[in-house]
Amino acid sequence: MYVAVKGGEKAIENAHRLLDEKRRGDRRLPALSLEQIAGQLALAVDRVMAEGALYDRELAALAVKQARGDMIEAIFLLRAYRTTLPRFYESLPVDTGAMGIERRISACFKDLPGGQLLGPTFDYTHRLLDPDLTGEEVEPNDLGTAEANDAVMRVSDILAADGMIESEEPLVDEDGVEATPGDMTRRPLSYPLSREQRLQALARGDEGFLLALGYSTQRGYGRNHPFAGEIRIGLVEVEVDLPELGHAVPIGRVRLTECQMVNQFRGSSETPPQFTRGYGLVFGQSERKAMSMALVDRALRARDFGEDVLAPAQDEEFVVSHCDNVQATGFVEHLKLPHYVDFQSELQLIRTLRQEWAEARESDADGDEEFGREAAE
Amino acid sequence: MPGVAQANIRRRDRFAVLARCELDDLEQQFRTLGLNPEVTFLRPIETGLVMLRGRAGGTGAAFNLGEATVTRASVRLGDGRIGHSVALGRDRKRATLAAVVDALAAEADDEQRIETAIIAPLRQKLAEEDRREAELVAATKVDFFTMVRGEDE
């Protein structure tokens, strides 16, 4: 148990001033601008937006700078900022099929409408440190261009058209009104969850945790034979219904990464065998996270498909209640706060236990001596 | 009422352009009008959040993906015209100017003028940027060859 302490104001103030100074680093060097962080550490900024669950590049860059590059601290800062703003709107669901494509690959089909577009990828690089980047400025590359395709159809839509993969339809009631998805930022989660609630939790979940869980399913802990049906990265338009106007309007674009995992089959007496799906959708360019999310989404659907729930990645309460790194770091790091009173009581307890142990041993030893003497006699 | 539907489509398109353009470009196009309308705010300009939604599997049940910052402005011009703007981000200056442009376009006589002087050039610039990006991506299109495995020979 934590018991509050007081005092220490001066030391705390000095510690924070020292932090400010260390954050600034060598003052002979220019300070980093938010534009530099957002532009040149773009994927760090993307991760902070995704797990901070707030899309705003400039604020995420500020968080990275303020946190000295500590990602979870930056995510924490963004989450805290979010709570200071009112909610104006809920968007219409974004149409990832109409995405302005920056990268699109499929591990299922070699040739597909729109083609395999590698985009700005680390794939096929040699992972050798590049000494050219140690200097100030690198000469710009001559970039190739080619005529752009218009339509880049989703691979899952191609499979769904043939009925080869389970269909995904909006949840609507008898009157055709779409269900409002649960929102964990408004109402605490209570188990069991719907898939929609899980997807919200996974979209803001820790990349490392989801990566490890996704990996565990590949190694046999909840195996479901995945193929990366498609990964696409690009810009999607966001629309909201404006009551002032009486219709929906676009309000700008966001960059998203989507992963559709195609997994092994299910079927029934009514439905022929079909591939099943795992889905990942993440703010920014974040392929690893989107793939991990899709693996874990599929694993968490085990119960829906009548599969045995044996592995950690299939256990909804285990996954969802531990995937939030702000919650996790809060509880782990609170251990460093003063627990003096608590520890004093533990000290007292262990002293008592040790005394009892010593007394018991002494009386045992006496007993042994007597026993020994009797035996000798 | 096809007239209303058409007007709504044009307004949607204006919103799309005004939400994406750079403030500098918008100011530059606005100056070409040579107008200096009297502007009052119908409500204080505000920054808040919009919850972005996705769909499971891209087409399925809606879910909450995460929030984004959004800024909105509602203005009344001296002649009583009303305009609104809503755009992702926290740019209050752009939000104000976008609402003024929306208000100016509310009068049918001025709508075409706004389209020609402001929206069309901005739309063209955005489309060019998109096309340039798409062409760079298209140059990374790859054709993989499936290798014949030894045992098949």
PDB file of all heavy atoms in Angstrom, chain A residues 55-56 58 82 86-88 91 94 110 116 119 168 178 239 244 251, chain B residues 12 20 43 49 51 53 55 57 59 64 67 69 88 90 140 142 144:
ATOM      1  N   TYR A  55      -4.318  11.620 -33.022  1.00  0.00           N
ATOM      2  CA  TYR A  55      -3.651  11.937 -34.284  1.00  0.00           C
ATOM      3  C   TYR A  55      -3.395  13.434 -34.349  1.00  0.00           C
ATOM      4  O   TYR A  55      -4.322  14.222 -34.543  1.00  0.00           O
ATOM      5  CB  TYR A  55      -4.515  11.486 -35.472  1.00  0.00           C
ATOM      6  CG  TYR A  55      -3.750  11.414 -36.766  1.00  0.00           C
ATOM      7  CD1 TYR A  55      -3.310  10.193 -37.263  1.00  0.00           C
ATOM      8  CD2 TYR A  55      -3.444  12.557 -37.489  1.00  0.00           C
ATOM      9  CE1 TYR A  55      -2.595  10.120 -38.442  1.00  0.00           C
ATOM     10  CE2 TYR A  55      -2.728  12.486 -38.672  1.00  0.00           C
ATOM     11  CZ  TYR A  55      -2.305  11.266 -39.144  1.00  0.00           C
ATOM     12  OH  TYR A  55      -1.592  11.190 -40.320  1.00  0.00           O
ATOM     13  N   ASP A  56      -2.152  13.822 -34.137  1.00  0.00           N
ATOM     14  CA  ASP A  56      -1.719  15.216 -34.295  1.00  0.00           C
ATOM     15  C   ASP A  56      -0.200  15.189 -34.344  1.00  0.00           C
ATOM     16  O   ASP A  56       0.468  15.019 -33.323  1.00  0.00           O
ATOM     17  CB  ASP A  56      -2.232  16.077 -33.128  1.00  0.00           C
ATOM     18  CG  ASP A  56      -1.945  17.566 -33.330  1.00  0.00           C
ATOM     19  OD1 ASP A  56      -0.797  17.910 -33.687  1.00  0.00           O
ATOM     20  OD2 ASP A  56      -2.861  18.378 -33.130  1.00  0.00           O
ATOM     21  N   GLU A  58       2.167  17.377 -34.858  1.00  0.00           N
ATOM     22  CA  GLU A  58       2.956  18.393 -34.173  1.00  0.00           C
ATOM     23  C   GLU A  58       2.984  18.134 -32.662  1.00  0.00           C
ATOM     24  O   GLU A  58       4.036  18.224 -32.023  1.00  0.00           O
ATOM     25  CB  GLU A  58       2.378  19.777 -34.468  1.00  0.00           C
ATOM     26  CG  GLU A  58       3.327  20.888 -34.096  1.00  0.00           C
ATOM     27  CD  GLU A  58       2.690  22.259 -34.234  1.00  0.00           C
ATOM     28  OE1 GLU A  58       1.501  22.401 -33.894  1.00  0.00           O
ATOM     29  OE2 GLU A  58       3.367  23.166 -34.691  1.00  0.00           O
ATOM     30  N   ARG A  82      -4.815  14.823 -24.268  1.00  0.00           N
ATOM     31  CA  ARG A  82      -6.099  14.470 -24.854  1.00  0.00           C
ATOM     32  C   ARG A  82      -7.264  14.715 -23.889  1.00  0.00           C
ATOM     33  O   ARG A  82      -8.348  15.154 -24.292  1.00  0.00           O
ATOM     34  CB  ARG A  82      -6.035  12.990 -25.233  1.00  0.00           C
ATOM     35  CG  ARG A  82      -7.238  12.453 -25.851  1.00  0.00           C
ATOM     36  CD  ARG A  82      -7.455  10.978 -25.520  1.00  0.00           C
ATOM     37  NE  ARG A  82      -8.889  10.767 -25.506  1.00  0.00           N
ATOM     38  CZ  ARG A  82      -9.618  10.715 -24.412  1.00  0.00           C
ATOM     39  NH1 ARG A  82      -9.101  10.816 -23.217  1.00  0.00           N
ATOM     40  NH2 ARG A  82     -10.931  10.573 -24.505  1.00  0.00           N
ATOM     41  N   PRO A  86     -12.405  18.850 -25.364  1.00  0.00           N
ATOM     42  CA  PRO A  86     -13.762  18.296 -25.515  1.00  0.00           C
ATOM     43  C   PRO A  86     -13.865  17.476 -26.797  1.00  0.00           C
ATOM     44  O   PRO A  86     -13.128  17.711 -27.761  1.00  0.00           O
ATOM     45  CB  PRO A  86     -14.633  19.549 -25.608  1.00  0.00           C
ATOM     46  CG  PRO A  86     -13.726  20.591 -26.201  1.00  0.00           C
ATOM     47  CD  PRO A  86     -12.336  20.285 -25.713  1.00  0.00           C
ATOM     48  N   ARG A  87     -14.783  16.515 -26.800  1.00  0.00           N
ATOM     49  CA  ARG A  87     -15.058  15.719 -28.010  1.00  0.00           C
ATOM     50  C   ARG A  87     -16.160  16.412 -28.804  1.00  0.00           C
ATOM     51  O   ARG A  87     -17.246  16.629 -28.285  1.00  0.00           O
ATOM     52  CB  ARG A  87     -15.494  14.312 -27.583  1.00  0.00           C
ATOM     53  CG  ARG A  87     -16.061  13.425 -28.683  1.00  0.00           C
ATOM     54  CD  ARG A  87     -15.046  12.541 -29.349  1.00  0.00           C
ATOM     55  NE  ARG A  87     -14.376  11.601 -28.479  1.00  0.00           N
ATOM     56  CZ  ARG A  87     -14.806  10.362 -28.225  1.00  0.00           C
ATOM     57  NH1 ARG A  87     -15.940   9.920 -28.743  1.00  0.00           N
ATOM     58  NH2 ARG A  87     -14.106   9.571 -27.442  1.00  0.00           N
ATOM     59  N   PHE A  88     -15.873  16.755 -30.068  1.00  0.00           N
ATOM     60  CA  PHE A  88     -16.874  17.412 -30.908  1.00  0.00           C
ATOM     61  C   PHE A  88     -17.660  16.426 -31.760  1.00  0.00           C
ATOM     62  O   PHE A  88     -18.855  16.584 -31.951  1.00  0.00           O
ATOM     63  CB  PHE A  88     -16.203  18.407 -31.868  1.00  0.00           C
ATOM     64  CG  PHE A  88     -15.596  19.619 -31.224  1.00  0.00           C
ATOM     65  CD1 PHE A  88     -14.690  20.399 -31.924  1.00  0.00           C
ATOM     66  CD2 PHE A  88     -15.942  19.998 -29.930  1.00  0.00           C
ATOM     67  CE1 PHE A  88     -14.134  21.535 -31.358  1.00  0.00           C
ATOM     68  CE2 PHE A  88     -15.386  21.127 -29.355  1.00  0.00           C
ATOM     69  CZ  PHE A  88     -14.477  21.896 -30.066  1.00  0.00           C
ATOM     70  N   SER A  91     -16.367  10.384 -36.302  1.00  0.00           N
ATOM     71  CA  SER A  91     -16.303  10.396 -37.771  1.00  0.00           C
ATOM     72  C   SER A  91     -17.147   9.270 -38.354  1.00  0.00           C
ATOM     73  O   SER A  91     -17.501   8.315 -37.662  1.00  0.00           O
ATOM     74  CB  SER A  91     -14.852  10.256 -38.245  1.00  0.00           C
ATOM     75  OG  SER A  91     -14.463   8.899 -38.284  1.00  0.00           O
ATOM     76  N   VAL A  94     -13.853   5.304 -41.728  1.00  0.00           N
ATOM     77  CA  VAL A  94     -13.014   5.657 -42.884  1.00  0.00           C
ATOM     78  C   VAL A  94     -13.056   4.536 -43.922  1.00  0.00           C
ATOM     79  O   VAL A  94     -13.256   3.366 -43.572  1.00  0.00           O
ATOM     80  CB  VAL A  94     -11.545   5.920 -42.465  1.00  0.00           C
ATOM     81  CG1 VAL A  94     -11.458   7.156 -41.586  1.00  0.00           C
ATOM     82  CG2 VAL A  94     -10.937   4.707 -41.779  1.00  0.00           C
ATOM     83  N   LYS A 110       0.824 -12.784 -56.360  1.00  0.00           N
ATOM     84  CA  LYS A 110       1.957 -12.141 -57.019  1.00  0.00           C
ATOM     85  C   LYS A 110       1.449 -11.008 -57.913  1.00  0.00           C
ATOM     86  O   LYS A 110       1.964  -9.903 -57.865  1.00  0.00           O
ATOM     87  CB  LYS A 110       2.708 -13.189 -57.850  1.00  0.00           C
ATOM     88  CG  LYS A 110       3.989 -12.704 -58.484  1.00  0.00           C
ATOM     89  CD  LYS A 110       4.865 -13.877 -58.913  1.00  0.00           C
ATOM     90  CE  LYS A 110       4.228 -14.734 -60.023  1.00  0.00           C
ATOM     91  NZ  LYS A 110       4.215 -14.020 -61.326  1.00  0.00           N
ATOM     92  N   GLN A 116       2.043  -4.691 -56.773  1.00  0.00           N
ATOM     93  CA  GLN A 116       2.777  -4.647 -55.507  1.00  0.00           C
ATOM     94  C   GLN A 116       3.565  -3.340 -55.499  1.00  0.00           C
ATOM     95  O   GLN A 116       4.478  -3.170 -56.306  1.00  0.00           O
ATOM     96  CB  GLN A 116       3.766  -5.818 -55.419  1.00  0.00           C
ATOM     97  CG  GLN A 116       3.179  -7.183 -55.685  1.00  0.00           C
ATOM     98  CD  GLN A 116       2.788  -7.914 -54.411  1.00  0.00           C
ATOM     99  OE1 GLN A 116       2.968  -7.399 -53.309  1.00  0.00           O
ATOM    100  NE2 GLN A 116       2.258  -9.114 -54.553  1.00  0.00           N
ATOM    101  N   GLY A 119       6.829   1.224 -52.062  1.00  0.00           N
ATOM    102  CA  GLY A 119       6.840   2.473 -51.289  1.00  0.00           C
ATOM    103  C   GLY A 119       8.128   2.645 -50.509  1.00  0.00           C
ATOM    104  O   GLY A 119       9.125   1.967 -50.764  1.00  0.00           O
ATOM    105  N   GLU A 168     -17.412  -9.528 -44.132  1.00  0.00           N
ATOM    106  CA  GLU A 168     -17.438  -8.561 -43.022  1.00  0.00           C
ATOM    107  C   GLU A 168     -18.484  -7.522 -43.370  1.00  0.00           C
ATOM    108  O   GLU A 168     -18.301  -6.756 -44.321  1.00  0.00           O
ATOM    109  CB  GLU A 168     -16.075  -7.860 -42.885  1.00  0.00           C
ATOM    110  CG  GLU A 168     -14.949  -8.764 -42.456  1.00  0.00           C
ATOM    111  CD  GLU A 168     -14.723  -8.752 -40.942  1.00  0.00           C
ATOM    112  OE1 GLU A 168     -15.692  -8.474 -40.195  1.00  0.00           O
ATOM    113  OE2 GLU A 168     -13.583  -9.024 -40.540  1.00  0.00           O
ATOM    114  N   GLU A 178     -27.079   1.617 -37.969  1.00  0.00           N
ATOM    115  CA  GLU A 178     -25.827   0.985 -37.566  1.00  0.00           C
ATOM    116  C   GLU A 178     -25.572   1.139 -36.068  1.00  0.00           C
ATOM    117  O   GLU A 178     -25.824   2.198 -35.480  1.00  0.00           O
ATOM    118  CB  GLU A 178     -24.660   1.588 -38.370  1.00  0.00           C
ATOM    119  CG  GLU A 178     -23.348   0.911 -38.037  1.00  0.00           C
ATOM    120  CD  GLU A 178     -22.298   1.026 -39.112  1.00  0.00           C
ATOM    121  OE1 GLU A 178     -22.463   1.817 -40.047  1.00  0.00           O
ATOM    122  OE2 GLU A 178     -21.288   0.295 -38.982  1.00  0.00           O
ATOM    123  N   GLU A 239     -14.466  11.977 -42.696  1.00  0.00           N
ATOM    124  CA  GLU A 239     -15.697  12.749 -42.864  1.00  0.00           C
ATOM    125  C   GLU A 239     -16.489  12.749 -41.571  1.00  0.00           C
ATOM    126  O   GLU A 239     -16.527  11.748 -40.858  1.00  0.00           O
ATOM    127  CB  GLU A 239     -16.575  12.131 -43.967  1.00  0.00           C
ATOM    128  CG  GLU A 239     -16.006  12.328 -45.356  1.00  0.00           C
ATOM    129  CD  GLU A 239     -17.048  12.069 -46.447  1.00  0.00           C
ATOM    130  OE1 GLU A 239     -18.255  12.287 -46.193  1.00  0.00           O
ATOM    131  OE2 GLU A 239     -16.649  11.624 -47.526  1.00  0.00           O
ATOM    132  N   GLU A 244     -24.968  21.534 -38.539  1.00  0.00           N
ATOM    133  CA  GLU A 244     -25.212  22.866 -39.111  1.00  0.00           C
ATOM    134  C   GLU A 244     -25.545  22.777 -40.594  1.00  0.00           C
ATOM    135  O   GLU A 244     -26.274  23.611 -41.125  1.00  0.00           O
ATOM    136  CB  GLU A 244     -23.964  23.766 -38.960  1.00  0.00           C
ATOM    137  CG  GLU A 244     -23.499  24.017 -37.542  1.00  0.00           C
ATOM    138  CD  GLU A 244     -22.432  23.040 -37.103  1.00  0.00           C
ATOM    139  OE1 GLU A 244     -22.554  21.841 -37.455  1.00  0.00           O
ATOM    140  OE2 GLU A 244     -21.479  23.449 -36.423  1.00  0.00           O
ATOM    141  N   ILE A 251     -13.046  16.506 -43.631  1.00  0.00           N
ATOM    142  CA  ILE A 251     -12.369  17.477 -42.767  1.00  0.00           C
ATOM    143  C   ILE A 251     -10.845  17.294 -42.790  1.00  0.00           C
ATOM    144  O   ILE A 251     -10.137  17.809 -41.935  1.00  0.00           O
ATOM    145  CB  ILE A 251     -12.892  17.400 -41.315  1.00  0.00           C
ATOM    146  CG1 ILE A 251     -12.671  16.009 -40.718  1.00  0.00           C
ATOM    147  CG2 ILE A 251     -14.358  17.788 -41.255  1.00  0.00           C
ATOM    148  CD1 ILE A 251     -12.873  15.955 -39.212  1.00  0.00           C
TER     149      ILE A 251
ATOM    150  N   ARG B  12     -19.433  20.301 -50.009  1.00  0.00           N
ATOM    151  CA  ARG B  12     -18.564  19.194 -49.547  1.00  0.00           C
ATOM    152  C   ARG B  12     -17.173  19.334 -50.163  1.00  0.00           C
ATOM    153  O   ARG B  12     -16.160  19.185 -49.494  1.00  0.00           O
ATOM    154  CB  ARG B  12     -19.144  17.849 -50.023  1.00  0.00           C
ATOM    155  CG  ARG B  12     -20.059  17.135 -49.083  1.00  0.00           C
ATOM    156  CD  ARG B  12     -20.530  15.844 -49.771  1.00  0.00           C
ATOM    157  NE  ARG B  12     -19.396  14.962 -50.100  1.00  0.00           N
ATOM    158  CZ  ARG B  12     -18.860  14.103 -49.257  1.00  0.00           C
ATOM    159  NH1 ARG B  12     -19.361  13.955 -48.057  1.00  0.00           N
ATOM    160  NH2 ARG B  12     -17.830  13.370 -49.609  1.00  0.00           N
ATOM    161  N   ARG B  20      -7.681  20.786 -46.349  1.00  0.00           N
ATOM    162  CA  ARG B  20      -6.362  20.214 -46.652  1.00  0.00           C
ATOM    163  C   ARG B  20      -5.317  21.242 -47.057  1.00  0.00           C
ATOM    164  O   ARG B  20      -4.127  20.968 -46.989  1.00  0.00           O
ATOM    165  CB  ARG B  20      -6.504  19.184 -47.780  1.00  0.00           C
ATOM    166  CG  ARG B  20      -6.830  17.783 -47.291  1.00  0.00           C
ATOM    167  CD  ARG B  20      -6.850  16.846 -48.468  1.00  0.00           C
ATOM    168  NE  ARG B  20      -5.587  16.870 -49.199  1.00  0.00           N
ATOM    169  CZ  ARG B  20      -5.423  16.451 -50.438  1.00  0.00           C
ATOM    170  NH1 ARG B  20      -6.442  15.972 -51.095  1.00  0.00           N
ATOM    171  NH2 ARG B  20      -4.245  16.485 -51.014  1.00  0.00           N
ATOM    172  N   ARG B  43     -19.737  31.636 -32.632  1.00  0.00           N
ATOM    173  CA  ARG B  43     -19.340  31.039 -31.357  1.00  0.00           C
ATOM    174  C   ARG B  43     -17.817  31.079 -31.343  1.00  0.00           C
ATOM    175  O   ARG B  43     -17.193  31.179 -32.408  1.00  0.00           O
ATOM    176  CB  ARG B  43     -19.872  29.610 -31.217  1.00  0.00           C
ATOM    177  CG  ARG B  43     -19.354  28.677 -32.280  1.00  0.00           C
ATOM    178  CD  ARG B  43     -19.920  27.273 -32.121  1.00  0.00           C
ATOM    179  NE  ARG B  43     -19.480  26.451 -33.236  1.00  0.00           N
ATOM    180  CZ  ARG B  43     -20.141  25.426 -33.727  1.00  0.00           C
ATOM    181  NH1 ARG B  43     -21.280  25.064 -33.205  1.00  0.00           N
ATOM    182  NH2 ARG B  43     -19.669  24.722 -34.726  1.00  0.00           N
ATOM    183  N   LEU B  49     -11.771  17.390 -30.187  1.00  0.00           N
ATOM    184  CA  LEU B  49     -11.416  16.067 -30.697  1.00  0.00           C
ATOM    185  C   LEU B  49     -12.502  15.506 -31.604  1.00  0.00           C
ATOM    186  O   LEU B  49     -13.686  15.803 -31.421  1.00  0.00           O
ATOM    187  CB  LEU B  49     -11.226  15.088 -29.531  1.00  0.00           C
ATOM    188  CG  LEU B  49     -10.145  15.443 -28.517  1.00  0.00           C
ATOM    189  CD1 LEU B  49     -10.253  14.524 -27.307  1.00  0.00           C
ATOM    190  CD2 LEU B  49      -8.765  15.350 -29.148  1.00  0.00           C
ATOM    191  N   MET B  51     -13.476  11.557 -32.782  1.00  0.00           N
ATOM    192  CA  MET B  51     -13.135  10.132 -32.686  1.00  0.00           C
ATOM    193  C   MET B  51     -13.190   9.548 -34.089  1.00  0.00           C
ATOM    194  O   MET B  51     -14.232   9.611 -34.754  1.00  0.00           O
ATOM    195  CB  MET B  51     -14.109   9.400 -31.757  1.00  0.00           C
ATOM    196  CG  MET B  51     -13.923   7.889 -31.732  1.00  0.00           C
ATOM    197  SD  MET B  51     -12.257   7.328 -31.302  1.00  0.00           S
ATOM    198  CE  MET B  51     -12.369   7.234 -29.509  1.00  0.00           C
ATOM    199  N   ARG B  53     -13.263   6.578 -36.728  1.00  0.00           N
ATOM    200  CA  ARG B  53     -13.743   5.196 -36.736  1.00  0.00           C
ATOM    201  C   ARG B  53     -13.233   4.441 -37.947  1.00  0.00           C
ATOM    202  O   ARG B  53     -13.048   5.016 -39.022  1.00  0.00           O
ATOM    203  CB  ARG B  53     -15.273   5.175 -36.710  1.00  0.00           C
ATOM    204  CG  ARG B  53     -15.799   5.584 -35.357  1.00  0.00           C
ATOM    205  CD  ARG B  53     -17.281   5.380 -35.225  1.00  0.00           C
ATOM    206  NE  ARG B  53     -17.672   5.675 -33.857  1.00  0.00           N
ATOM    207  CZ  ARG B  53     -18.841   6.155 -33.496  1.00  0.00           C
ATOM    208  NH1 ARG B  53     -19.767   6.376 -34.406  1.00  0.00           N
ATOM    209  NH2 ARG B  53     -19.110   6.398 -32.229  1.00  0.00           N
ATOM    210  N   ARG B  55     -13.506   0.198 -39.778  1.00  0.00           N
ATOM    211  CA  ARG B  55     -14.395  -0.958 -39.861  1.00  0.00           C
ATOM    212  C   ARG B  55     -13.561  -2.227 -39.784  1.00  0.00           C
ATOM    213  O   ARG B  55     -12.530  -2.326 -40.475  1.00  0.00           O
ATOM    214  CB  ARG B  55     -15.170  -0.976 -41.186  1.00  0.00           C
ATOM    215  CG  ARG B  55     -16.208   0.104 -41.321  1.00  0.00           C
ATOM    216  CD  ARG B  55     -17.147  -0.178 -42.491  1.00  0.00           C
ATOM    217  NE  ARG B  55     -18.173   0.844 -42.592  1.00  0.00           N
ATOM    218  CZ  ARG B  55     -19.244   0.912 -41.801  1.00  0.00           C
ATOM    219  NH1 ARG B  55     -19.431   0.005 -40.865  1.00  0.00           N
ATOM    220  NH2 ARG B  55     -20.120   1.871 -41.958  1.00  0.00           N
ATOM    221  N   GLY B  57     -12.025  -5.464 -40.687  1.00  0.00           N
ATOM    222  CA  GLY B  57     -11.853  -6.048 -42.019  1.00  0.00           C
ATOM    223  C   GLY B  57     -12.025  -5.041 -43.148  1.00  0.00           C
ATOM    224  O   GLY B  57     -12.070  -5.407 -44.314  1.00  0.00           O
ATOM    225  N   THR B  59     -14.602  -3.480 -44.058  1.00  0.00           N
ATOM    226  CA  THR B  59     -15.996  -3.339 -44.513  1.00  0.00           C
ATOM    227  C   THR B  59     -17.005  -3.725 -43.438  1.00  0.00           C
ATOM    228  O   THR B  59     -18.205  -3.623 -43.657  1.00  0.00           O
ATOM    229  CB  THR B  59     -16.262  -4.250 -45.737  1.00  0.00           C
ATOM    230  OG1 THR B  59     -15.882  -5.598 -45.386  1.00  0.00           O
ATOM    231  CG2 THR B  59     -15.469  -3.811 -46.956  1.00  0.00           C
ATOM    232  N   ASN B  64     -13.937   2.176 -32.820  1.00  0.00           N
ATOM    233  CA  ASN B  64     -13.263   3.442 -32.540  1.00  0.00           C
ATOM    234  C   ASN B  64     -11.766   3.238 -32.625  1.00  0.00           C
ATOM    235  O   ASN B  64     -11.185   2.481 -31.847  1.00  0.00           O
ATOM    236  CB  ASN B  64     -13.667   3.945 -31.157  1.00  0.00           C
ATOM    237  CG  ASN B  64     -15.113   4.391 -31.128  1.00  0.00           C
ATOM    238  OD1 ASN B  64     -15.545   5.188 -31.950  1.00  0.00           O
ATOM    239  ND2 ASN B  64     -15.887   3.835 -30.201  1.00  0.00           N
ATOM    240  N   GLU B  67      -8.547   9.177 -31.500  1.00  0.00           N
ATOM    241  CA  GLU B  67      -9.036  10.524 -31.758  1.00  0.00           C
ATOM    242  C   GLU B  67      -8.030  11.345 -32.561  1.00  0.00           C
ATOM    243  O   GLU B  67      -6.867  10.958 -32.690  1.00  0.00           O
ATOM    244  CB  GLU B  67      -9.354  11.213 -30.430  1.00  0.00           C
ATOM    245  CG  GLU B  67     -10.593  10.619 -29.784  1.00  0.00           C
ATOM    246  CD  GLU B  67     -10.716  10.938 -28.304  1.00  0.00           C
ATOM    247  OE1 GLU B  67      -9.727  10.770 -27.566  1.00  0.00           O
ATOM    248  OE2 GLU B  67     -11.799  11.352 -27.893  1.00  0.00           O
ATOM    249  N   THR B  69      -7.117  15.770 -33.340  1.00  0.00           N
ATOM    250  CA  THR B  69      -7.501  17.138 -33.029  1.00  0.00           C
ATOM    251  C   THR B  69      -8.265  17.717 -34.219  1.00  0.00           C
ATOM    252  O   THR B  69      -8.022  17.356 -35.374  1.00  0.00           O
ATOM    253  CB  THR B  69      -6.268  18.014 -32.750  1.00  0.00           C
ATOM    254  OG1 THR B  69      -5.349  17.873 -33.820  1.00  0.00           O
ATOM    255  CG2 THR B  69      -5.604  17.626 -31.436  1.00  0.00           C
ATOM    256  N   LEU B  88      -9.241  18.977 -39.521  1.00  0.00           N
ATOM    257  CA  LEU B  88      -8.311  18.312 -38.616  1.00  0.00           C
ATOM    258  C   LEU B  88      -7.160  19.254 -38.285  1.00  0.00           C
ATOM    259  O   LEU B  88      -6.763  20.078 -39.105  1.00  0.00           O
ATOM    260  CB  LEU B  88      -7.751  17.042 -39.268  1.00  0.00           C
ATOM    261  CG  LEU B  88      -8.756  15.910 -39.512  1.00  0.00           C
ATOM    262  CD1 LEU B  88      -8.058  14.735 -40.215  1.00  0.00           C
ATOM    263  CD2 LEU B  88      -9.399  15.447 -38.217  1.00  0.00           C
ATOM    264  N   ARG B  90      -4.989  22.014 -35.551  1.00  0.00           N
ATOM    265  CA  ARG B  90      -5.240  23.086 -34.583  1.00  0.00           C
ATOM    266  C   ARG B  90      -4.995  24.470 -35.176  1.00  0.00           C
ATOM    267  O   ARG B  90      -4.682  25.401 -34.457  1.00  0.00           O
ATOM    268  CB  ARG B  90      -4.358  22.860 -33.346  1.00  0.00           C
ATOM    269  CG  ARG B  90      -4.786  21.670 -32.492  1.00  0.00           C
ATOM    270  CD  ARG B  90      -3.761  21.300 -31.454  1.00  0.00           C
ATOM    271  NE  ARG B  90      -2.553  20.855 -32.118  1.00  0.00           N
ATOM    272  CZ  ARG B  90      -1.388  21.480 -32.038  1.00  0.00           C
ATOM    273  NH1 ARG B  90      -1.251  22.562 -31.317  1.00  0.00           N
ATOM    274  NH2 ARG B  90      -0.334  21.019 -32.712  1.00  0.00           N
ATOM    275  N   THR B 140       7.887   2.283 -57.602  1.00  0.00           N
ATOM    276  CA  THR B 140       8.353   1.211 -56.718  1.00  0.00           C
ATOM    277  C   THR B 140       7.528  -0.065 -56.914  1.00  0.00           C
ATOM    278  O   THR B 140       7.622  -0.991 -56.116  1.00  0.00           O
ATOM    279  CB  THR B 140       8.298   1.628 -55.226  1.00  0.00           C
ATOM    280  OG1 THR B 140       6.926   1.744 -54.817  1.00  0.00           O
ATOM    281  CG2 THR B 140       8.993   2.951 -54.995  1.00  0.00           C
ATOM    282  N   VAL B 142       6.686  -3.554 -58.105  1.00  0.00           N
ATOM    283  CA  VAL B 142       7.639  -4.637 -58.305  1.00  0.00           C
ATOM    284  C   VAL B 142       6.951  -5.837 -58.957  1.00  0.00           C
ATOM    285  O   VAL B 142       5.773  -6.088 -58.721  1.00  0.00           O
ATOM    286  CB  VAL B 142       8.284  -5.045 -56.946  1.00  0.00           C
ATOM    287  CG1 VAL B 142       7.264  -5.714 -56.049  1.00  0.00           C
ATOM    288  CG2 VAL B 142       9.490  -5.928 -57.135  1.00  0.00           C
ATOM    289  N   PHE B 144       7.485  -9.689 -58.919  1.00  0.00           N
ATOM    290  CA  PHE B 144       8.224 -10.818 -58.362  1.00  0.00           C
ATOM    291  C   PHE B 144       8.096 -12.008 -59.311  1.00  0.00           C
ATOM    292  O   PHE B 144       7.023 -12.255 -59.851  1.00  0.00           O
ATOM    293  CB  PHE B 144       7.660 -11.216 -56.991  1.00  0.00           C
ATOM    294  CG  PHE B 144       7.996 -10.246 -55.900  1.00  0.00           C
ATOM    295  CD1 PHE B 144       7.002  -9.533 -55.255  1.00  0.00           C
ATOM    296  CD2 PHE B 144       9.316 -10.049 -55.512  1.00  0.00           C
ATOM    297  CE1 PHE B 144       7.302  -8.645 -54.240  1.00  0.00           C
ATOM    298  CE2 PHE B 144       9.623  -9.168 -54.495  1.00  0.00           C
ATOM    299  CZ  PHE B 144       8.616  -8.468 -53.856  1.00  0.00           C
TER     300      PHE B 144
END
